[in-house]
Amino acid sequence: MNTPTFRLSSWALGAVLLGSSVQAQFSSPHEKKLGQPAPPTDAARLMENLDRGIVALNQGGGKAFVSWRLLGTEAPDTAFNLYRTTGAAQPVKLNAAPLIRGTNYGDSGVDFTQPVSYSVRAIVGGVEQAAAKSFTFAANAPVRPYLSIPLKPIQGYIVTDISPADLDGDGEYELIVHQSSGGRDNSQPGFTGVPILQAYKLNGTMLWQISLGKNIREGSHYTQFMVYDLDGDGRAELVCKTGDGTTDGQGKVIGDPLADWRTPQGGFVPVVPGEPSKGHVMRDGILSHETSGNVLKGPEYLTVFDGLTGAAIDTVNYEPQRHPTAGPFPTPEQLNEVWGDAYGNRMDRFLACVAYFDGEHPSVMFSRGYYTRTVLAAWDYKDKKLVKRWLFDTANGARGFMYYQHQGNHSLTAADVDGDGRDEIVFGSAVIDDDGMGLYTTQLNHGDAQHVSDLDPTRPGMEILSIHEFNQHFYGMEMRDAATGEILWGKPSYDPGRCLAIDIDPRYPGAECWGVGENLTGLYNAKGVEIAKTKPRSCSFGIWWDGDLLREILDGNRVQKWDWEKATESTLFTMTGAAAGTGLQGGLTADILGDWREEQVVRTPDNTELRIYTTDIPSEHRLYTLMHDPQYRLSVALQNVAYNQPPHTSYFLGAGMAPIKQPNIKVVARK
């Protein structure tokens, strides 16, 4: 285990609020990172060896819409031929000339009374290549805008989060679903259901089921799972927090199967003086908080599972433990001392991600806390073992680490913000460098949402849009330089709930930004200038859906288009018969099939079916599959973490975008 000595970098900051009469000037102690930073790397990142991802929809009237991937390893001008096979007949080429614009095709005159298959063949150097995996309609295929995956429902459970990964190495994604029952915020007492994870192939075959057990609390802040090929064998692994009684996909139990570390009904702990009164009661003359059902003691583990079988491969102790000396069995007083409360509200706030800390190989990171103490632990997976890479702890006693407390959001992002070829972790108002050292903190404190990408293509590097609960610095919403933390512009607000940064107006370079909160009434361009007095009503998710480069707004079951001339939205598509889409938690938005547009994966209200909605709108734009952009792929991997956020690319994708560089990746075939 390699735990380096930590260096600190916190940033001295002074800023003037743009677009407001309010001015703010504040600073934090300034410490340069000790020693010399590692030189930049141009290593290729190891990523999934995806297939062509062809998908087709029966549009009715003998029409079909077909789309497929342009892979990140292919030349951008790769041409394609598309073939249709009807029944037992020979394949028929549909295009008169090689397809060089877009990676989609509208077919007509299709006889759906027979089985119909579509296949794509790339043309390289003028030579047609072998056919890729085909997509097949059964005879009399229904007219519908989605693919259907039957689920094995569990009484009293619904699917919340979903994560895609290639579990068997065949180039096609499988879906890992989180079956949830009775999830609660960690500030709320009460017993929850047992978190359950299931893996499905796209044909509906269930590969395995993992029960995390009664000692893992259910809730968006508690149950995070990372699914990624961590060891470069061409198949993804699953890593998550486990406890006594966790049962893997082969029926093997981790730890003590009989242990129950949940606080019994009627448990109470004293409240720290000065803590907000929400959820507190007087008990025996003492202000107290109920802890019934909370898991405040007992062993905690981190386990890596085989993605194909669900078998537990390696288990280590979760870091950090609840208390540095009492370990898994602290007293309420000790929890108060370390975390600021005794009922787990601050302690049991977990986040996770995958990141390329060395620029080539993926690692996993699991964290604990962001309201007070914050600890991030990075792990490599080598030779079937989890090996600690580094640990960042705001309570380690070194000068300046205290300034990284209270900075985390209900989400995070893994991205190469400083351009050195290695990933940093954008942890709310703080950024942790690839070596586990603090890069900077703005000290703007906690917020609910953040977005990281090249939001303003007129300036170098990436930007971060974030919101903050407290307005002591007058920044309820702000955009900053991702590499340095320099505040570019900000808006005053108190406790805004969400913000969004996507390109919805072609008249202005970069992303448009808006938020939900006091004073955030307008729509702003990437420079912070108000461009409309009104804004889209939804502020949770974006989705690339139609044929242009602008991003659409995902509002529950509806895909909406912003009309920049009338400053209003209209509905492009409604997912009729499906449960609500991705919001604070649940579902999946990602480019998992077809061309670069995104799919929306949601459950049906009865939890018996997953639906993969995919666009049937033609597009002449040709882009590499978004899943071969490393930052986008990592954003999809962490989409199940806490409050779901839409994935963003490492480059600006929108109206007037510059040509995309071929991603620096190396795909890994199954060993």
Side-chain angles (χ1 to χ4, degrees):
M1 295 183 181
N2 181 23
T3 306
T5 303
F6 293 111
R7 313 186 287 270
L8 170 73
S9 169
S10 66
W11 178 59
L13 159 61
V16 177
L17 222 64
L18 302 182
S20 167
S21 61
V22 181
Q23 295 186 353
Q25 183 95 19
F26 57 96
S27 64
S28 61
H30 182 84
E31 296 278 346
K32 292 183 178 180
K33 294 186 73 173
L34 301 175
Q36 295 297 318
T41 179
D42 60 357
R45 299 192 175 201
L46 301 178
M47 298 194 71
E48 298 153 314
N49 188 20
L50 298 175
D51 64 17
R52 190 61 67 189
I54 188 170
V55 64
L57 295 175
N58 181 357
Q59 297 175 296
K63 296 180 179 180
F65 181 80
V66 190
S67 69
W68 58 93
R69 295 182 180 120
L70 176 67
L71 301 172
T73 53
E74 296 180 303
D77 60 351
T78 300
F80 297 97
N81 288 328
L82 178 66
Y83 292 82
R84 182 216 302 154
T85 302
T86 305
Q90 291 297 307
V92 177
K93 187 171 71 170
L94 300 177
N95 50 291
L99 301 172
I100 58 174
R101 301 184 69 177
T103 50
N104 56 84
Y105 189 90
D107 191 18
S108 60
V110 185
D111 180 8
F112 282 107
T113 65
Q114 303 183 67
V116 177
S117 295
Y118 291 94
S119 62
V120 174
R121 300 184 185 187
I123 303 171
V124 180
V127 179
E128 185 181 76
Q129 307 299 297
K133 185 186 300 182
S134 62
F135 180 93
T136 300
F137 291 104
N140 300 305
V143 177
R144 61 190 184 191
Y146 60 86
L147 305 184
S148 176
I149 302 175
L151 293 173
K152 294 187 182 301
I154 304 171
Q155 184 66 35
Y157 280 71
I158 62 170
V159 171
T160 52
D161 288 308
I162 304 168
S163 191
D166 185 2
L167 302 180
D168 55 12
D170 66 352
E172 180 180 87
Y173 283 119
E174 282 73 48
L175 297 177
I176 299 85
V177 304
H178 176 190
Q179 297 272 13
S180 176
S181 177
R184 292 178 178 269
D185 188 280
N186 295 326
S187 64
Q188 304 166 345
F191 292 82
T192 73
V194 172
I196 293 174
L197 302 176
Q198 297 174 329
Y200 291 89
K201 293 187 69 65
L202 297 188
N203 63 9
T205 301
M206 192 175 81
L207 298 178
W208 46 256
Q209 177 171 294
I210 295 171
S211 172
L212 296 184
K214 66 182 68 168
N215 294 306
I216 296 295
R217 188 167 169 82
E218 180 64 87
S220 60
H221 301 293
Y222 208 105
T223 312
Q224 327 293 351
F225 58 100
M226 292 293 104
V227 195
Y228 213 84
D229 182 9
L230 298 171
D231 59 359
D233 67 351
R235 299 193 294 110
E237 291 77 36
L238 181 146
V239 187
C240 65
K241 186 174 183 286
T242 56
D244 283 340
T246 293
T247 304
D248 75 3
Q250 300 299 302
K252 179 183 176 181
V253 179
I254 295 171
D256 183 354
L258 301 179
D260 187 349
W261 300 111
R262 298 172 297 179
T263 304
Q265 190 71 39
F268 284 85
V269 294
V271 172
V272 177
E275 204 179 281
S277 59
K278 183 179 180 181
H280 301 158
V281 298
M282 295 298 296
R283 182 175 172 87
D284 300 326
I286 301 173
L287 190 63
S288 304
H289 193 282
E290 186 180 356
T291 58
S292 302
N294 288 9
V295 184
L296 303 175
K297 61 182 180 180
E300 299 174 290
Y301 313 117
L302 186 67
T303 300
V304 56
F305 299 87
D306 185 282
L308 181 60
T309 67
I313 300 174
D314 189 39
T315 296
V316 297
N317 290 327
Y318 193 88
E319 294 197 31
Q321 296 187 2
R322 296 182 178 93
H323 192 271
T325 58
F329 298 100
T331 65
E333 292 75 19
Q334 288 172 320
L335 290 181
N336 272 331
E337 174 191 6
V338 174
W339 301 103
D341 68 55
Y343 52 94
N345 182 41
R346 294 175 173 89
M347 175 182 70
D348 284 355
R349 299 280 175 161
F350 300 98
L351 299 173
C353 69
V354 176
Y356 292 80
F357 293 123
D358 67 355
E360 182 178 6
H361 305 92
S363 306
V364 292
M365 190 286 300
F366 283 79
S367 71
R368 182 172 219 152
Y370 41 74
Y371 288 143
T372 51
R373 181 191 183 193
T374 297
V375 186
L376 291 76
W379 301 85
D380 297 331
Y381 181 55
K382 299 179 179 179
D383 300 322
K384 306 300 181 182
K385 297 290 184 182
L386 286 166
V387 181
K388 187 166 64 178
R389 185 178 186 89
W390 49 254
L391 186 99
F392 177 91
D393 188 351
T394 61
N396 77 351
R399 180 188 176 196
F401 272 71
M402 61 179 292
Y403 297 107
Y404 284 79
Q405 296 188 143
H406 196 64
Q407 303 306 307
N409 285 4
H410 294 310
S411 60
L412 75 168
T413 302
D416 179 17
V417 301
D418 57 6
D420 65 356
R422 297 178 292 271
D423 287 330
E424 286 71 48
I425 297 175
V426 182
F427 202 79
S429 297
V431 173
I432 310 303
D433 209 350
D434 55 82
D435 57 2
M437 316 300 175
L439 184 64
Y440 69 81
T441 173
T442 65
Q443 293 191 267
L444 290 172
N445 299 328
H446 167 73
D448 284 3
Q450 63 183 36
H451 304 276
V452 184
S453 185
D454 187 4
L455 303 177
D456 183 356
T458 68
R459 60 184 310 278
M462 290 193 287
E463 294 77 35
I464 300 170
L465 183 77
S466 188
I467 53 175
H468 308 280
E469 285 192 357
F470 307 106
N471 67 349
Q472 63 263 43
H473 302 309
F474 303 104
Y475 293 116
M477 183 173 74
E478 50 82 21
M479 183 179 287
R480 68 181 190 263
D481 183 285
T484 67
E486 175 190 1
I487 305 296
L488 304 175
W489 56 267
K491 307 296 175 183
S493 184
Y494 181 76
D495 197 10
R498 300 285 281 182
C499 66
L500 193 54
I502 58 176
D503 187 19
I504 60 174
D505 190 331
R507 298 173 298 180
Y508 305 94
E512 281 66 55
C513 309
W514 67 101
V516 176
E518 184 181 73
N519 299 322
L520 301 178
T521 58
L523 179 65
Y524 309 97
N525 66 11
K527 299 296 185 183
V529 178
E530 187 177 81
I531 59 175
K533 295 295 183 181
T534 59
K535 61 185 178 182
R537 286 168 290 183
S538 179
C539 193
S540 290
F541 253 71
I543 186 169
W544 281 292
W545 186 264
D546 69 2
D548 62 27
L549 295 174
L550 299 175
R551 208 167 189 182
E552 282 64 59
I553 302 160
L554 184 60
D555 182 14
N557 290 355
R558 299 178 299 171
V559 177
Q560 296 190 306
K561 189 75 172 180
W562 179 251
D563 186 330
W564 61 87
E565 295 178 321
K566 298 179 180 179
T568 186
E569 62 268 83
S570 60
T571 298
L572 285 181
F573 178 72
T574 300
M575 303 172 211
T576 305
T582 306
L584 294 182
Q585 179 183 355
L588 173 69
T589 306
D591 174 23
I592 61 171
L593 290 170
D595 65 15
W596 58 274
R597 274 85 59 82
E598 294 174 297
E599 281 66 53
Q600 180 65 16
V601 188
V602 292
R603 64 176 177 87
T604 53
D606 63 1
N607 208 53
T608 61
E609 176 190 7
L610 283 183
R611 292 182 177 180
I612 304 177
Y613 287 90
T614 185
T615 187
D616 64 352
I617 302 174
S619 176
E620 294 186 349
H621 297 286
R622 170 181 286 215
L623 301 175
Y624 294 113
T625 175
L626 304 187
M627 296 296 261
H628 272 170
D629 176 61
Q631 180 177 322
Y632 181 93
R633 180 64 184 92
L634 296 177
S635 296
V636 170
L638 63 81
Q639 194 176 138
N640 71 74
V641 172
Y643 294 175
N644 295 9
Q645 303 288 297
H648 294 282
T649 55
S650 62
Y651 54 89
F652 172 66
L653 201 172
M657 63 183 293
I660 302 172
K661 295 180 180 179
Q662 188 163 16
N664 185 20
I665 62 173
K666 181 170 67 176
V667 297
V668 179
R670 179 178 177 180
K671 295 180 179 178

